[in-house]
Amino acid sequence: MKKIILAAIAVMGFSAANAQTTGFSKGDTFISGAFNVGTEKTGDAKSNDFTLVPSVGYFVSENVALGAKLGFGSSKVDDVKENAFTVGAFGRYYFTPASQFSVYGQAGLDFTNYKTGDFKSNELGVNVGLGLSYFLSNHFAIEATWAGLGYSVNNNGGDGADKTNRFGLGTDLRDVSFGVIYKF
């Protein structure tokens, strides 16, 4: 009798563990983002940085999520202050979205407006990278992303100024960023 009760408890526990739905599925919405605060001082020179970039994503199919982000950044070096406003869109393809651990590929497009005093410039960038998410519970996951390939062009204020084109292939794994996702 004792073995039957223990077996029944084990089966109910296993069933309850399997009934929890971790991972993503079609129709799920998630929020994530980036937050950074920093300060540096070398001799009399001081700099302060602040960045806030919330993002939201929606699963349009079992494997594909589309999303948008809106960000603000500010940096000040001595008396020179620069503000940056970013609007972006991204798409992700999750290889195993319904599991607790999933790898995804991401492509993104960002538009950023910079303002330093009276000087303004605009930048358009595209990037492709990899990421992974691991669900800690049904609603919370941690993620790590690595933007491996990127291209951007900055108009440097326009009015005949030379444009700055940047291309990067990031093979440095120190550029991995970590975050938290909340799934609705």
Side-chain angles (χ1 to χ4, degrees), residues 15-166:
S15 298
N18 283 338
Q20 293 179 350
T21 56
T22 58
F24 293 112
S25 60
K26 182 178 179 181
D28 283 347
T29 302
F30 64 88
I31 58 172
S32 184
F35 175 73
N36 183 30
V37 174
T39 184
E40 183 178 310
K41 183 176 180 185
T42 304
D44 291 335
K46 293 190 291 186
S47 67
N48 297 305
D49 298 309
F50 170 80
T51 306
L52 178 63
V53 187
S55 61
V56 62
Y58 177 78
F59 274 81
V60 295
S61 73
E62 291 298 319
N63 296 81
V64 177
L66 299 178
K69 64 182 176 178
L70 183 63
F72 172 76
S74 179
S75 65
K76 184 176 180 184
V77 179
D78 293 328
D79 293 330
V80 179
K81 185 174 182 179
E82 178 180 79
N83 291 325
F85 295 95
T86 300
V87 176
F90 63 89
R92 289 182 177 177
Y93 181 84
Y94 284 81
F95 294 96
T96 55
S99 67
Q100 187 174 9
F101 177 80
S102 185
V103 175
Y104 61 86
Q106 177 172 306
L109 175 67
D110 295 331
F111 173 80
T112 305
N113 174 267
Y114 297 97
K115 182 178 180 189
T116 307
D118 292 333
F119 180 77
K120 295 179 184 179
S121 66
N122 297 313
E123 184 171 275
L124 184 65
V126 294
N127 57 66
V128 178
L130 295 173
L132 56 94
S133 63
Y134 179 77
F135 272 87
L136 302 171
S137 70
N138 188 31
H139 295 285
F140 285 98
I142 54 175
E143 71 176 5
T145 55
W146 174 62
L149 183 64
Y151 174 77
S152 68
V153 60
N154 189 314
N155 72 352
N156 291 322
D159 296 331
D162 289 337
K163 293 180 180 179
T164 301
N165 294 290
R166 288 186 191 96

